Amino acid sequence: MTAPVFEEFAPAADCDCPGCADGRRVRRVSPRPSSGRPGGHAAVCGFVAMAAASAVLGAVTPAAAAVTPGRPAVARPHVPGDGEPDTPQGPVSPLYGPKGKPAGPGTVPTPATTRTKIISRAKIWVAAQVPYSMTDYWTDGYRQDCSGYVSMAWGLPGNEWTGSLDQFGVKIAKEELEPGDILLYHNPDNPEKGSHVVIFGGWTDYTHTSYTVYEQTPPHTRSQATPYPYWSNADKYVPYRYKGLTTVTAGARPAALKGLPGRRAWNLLITGKGRSIAPRGFVRPAAHRTPASHRVPGYPGRSHFRPGEENAFVTQLGRRLVEKGFGRFYTAGPGPRWGEADRRAVEAFQRTQGWLGGAADGYPGPETWRRLFADADAAPDGVTAL
């Protein structure tokens, strides 16, 4: 147990109680500046009275010994086994600084964004380890508490709080959760007791009992595996999806691909320099189906390594990580479903390459893939060696 810290108060000049009298004698010998805190005299007299009563009744009880007159409660981090922490948070407010402008009359705008942008913005604070504060604002203008963090990740025009974030989202079921959604708990009876909001980063296992969380909590922003829906108040967190989320409609064509040949397309057609495309329904022989992405042979693309994805490339990556000495993260052999063990193994490999902060996020990009397979004599399962 941490020993209580008592504040020093200036003794009143017209009080004859033992505490104030002793205080005046001490201050004449070794004067100290007054704390300037109102109610100091009452606090000292009250403390002396308590001490006198304790002397008559016996030893001071632990509860009495821990009394700190007027000291506000300190917010504690959301960690397993730490009980129910207080979560003070600031009110609805505009962005701080030159760009901050209060919202005008009418409905607060809901800017459009994507899941990729939400997670990318969330990772910026994780990499910077932004300190938790309900009154301070980060350089981007957002308040450094849990609701300010979500406001930043969603790209909202101002700082919201747990009591207002729901108006920017729609309720969804657990089975619908995807990276960029949030889990929100607002306690209307006592907002500073338990209220909290976190960003969902994806499932860490096929049982959907644990997920990657992005959250702002004392002492600073963090991302880690967290039991669903949270360490405490498991029956009170509600999943929400941002209303301004934009997605690419399946089968939609970019504006530039309307089927009408432009000058460049016409030149390629009449000169025969265009690339031949296999007709629909044509199945390329297995020996020639090794993908190439970002000019890295064999790299299938980042979409194959998202939380919950299941494919052969995840297995190939896991086996190569084991070969490279990063198999300690797997409780069983690498499998086809991307999970937290895969992410941690990739992150460990990235750190051995000298990457720090957000660069070592545990998700394999083309450079991570190239370095992993660069010295492979024969890549596993047909992946082209680099």
Side-chain angles (χ1 to χ4, degrees), residues 66-82:
V67 172
T68 307
R71 179 174 292 276
V74 178
R76 292 179 287 126
H78 298 261
V79 295
D82 193 32

Side-chain angles (χ1 to χ4, degrees), residues 18-94:
C20 290
D22 289 342
R24 287 194 295 272
R25 285 196 294 273
V26 172
R27 293 174 70 83
R28 283 196 293 270
V29 175
S30 178
R32 294 184 181 180
S34 170
S35 66
R37 184 165 184 160
H41 171 237
V44 170
C45 292
F47 182 76
V48 171
M50 182 180 70
S54 300
V56 174
L57 299 175
V60 179
T61 64
V67 172
T68 307
R71 179 174 292 276
V74 178
R76 292 179 287 126
H78 298 261
V79 295
D82 193 32
E84 186 61 42
D86 292 332
T87 53
Q89 55 182 314
V92 175
S93 64

Side-chain angles (χ1 to χ4, degrees), residues 99-316:
K99 296 182 179 179
K101 295 181 180 179
T107 304
V108 178
T110 305
T113 189
T114 64
R115 295 189 183 280
T116 301
K117 289 181 180 179
I118 293 173
I119 298 300
S120 296
R121 289 166 69 91
K123 288 181 178 180
I124 292 174
W125 277 30
V126 173
Q129 294 192 335
V130 176
Y132 184 93
S133 174
M134 60 179 286
T135 56
D136 293 339
Y137 294 77
W138 195 236
T139 55
D140 53 16
Y142 290 94
R143 192 176 56 247
Q144 297 168 210
D145 57 9
C146 62
S147 47
Y149 180 51
V150 171
S151 299
M152 179 277 299
W154 276 5
L156 300 182
N159 288 284
E160 299 299 324
W161 74 308
T162 55
S164 62
L165 278 171
D166 61 331
Q167 68 177 306
F168 295 92
V170 292
K171 290 183 180 181
I172 58 175
K174 172 185 176 181
E175 295 74 20
E176 300 176 273
L177 276 167
E178 294 184 51
D181 298 333
I182 66 170
L183 292 167
L184 173 66
Y185 166 41
H186 178 67
N187 182 359
D189 298 326
N190 186 359
E192 292 190 3
K193 187 66 174 178
S195 298
H196 192 43
V197 60
V198 302
I199 300 173
F200 179 84
W203 299 110
T204 60
D205 56 23
Y206 71 94
T207 63
H208 290 188
T209 57
S210 178
Y211 66 100
T212 298
V213 72
Y214 294 94
E215 64 174 329
Q216 178 68 350
T217 183
H220 54 69
T221 323
R222 72 180 181 184
S223 176
Q224 64 177 22
T226 300
Y228 181 86
Y230 201 67
W231 302 103
S232 57
N233 293 307
D235 59 334
K236 297 176 181 177
Y237 278 83
V238 180
Y240 281 89
R241 175 162 297 159
Y242 181 51
K243 288 181 179 179
L245 198 65
T246 59
T247 57
V248 178
T249 305
R253 284 187 174 187
L257 300 178
K258 295 297 184 179
L260 300 176
R263 179 181 299 177
R264 176 174 171 77
W266 181 259
N267 287 335
L268 292 173
L269 281 170
I270 64 176
T271 60
K273 294 180 179 180
R275 179 169 57 90
S276 298
I277 300 176
R280 182 172 298 181
F282 172 77
V283 179
R284 190 177 298 276
H288 302 283
R289 286 207 299 265
T290 301
S293 178
H294 296 77
R295 297 182 180 179
V296 177
Y299 178 61
R302 198 179 182 92
S303 61
H304 289 79
F305 307 106
R306 292 173 179 169
E309 289 292 330
E310 187 170 349
N311 55 76
F313 296 107
V314 176
T315 304
Q316 295 166 1

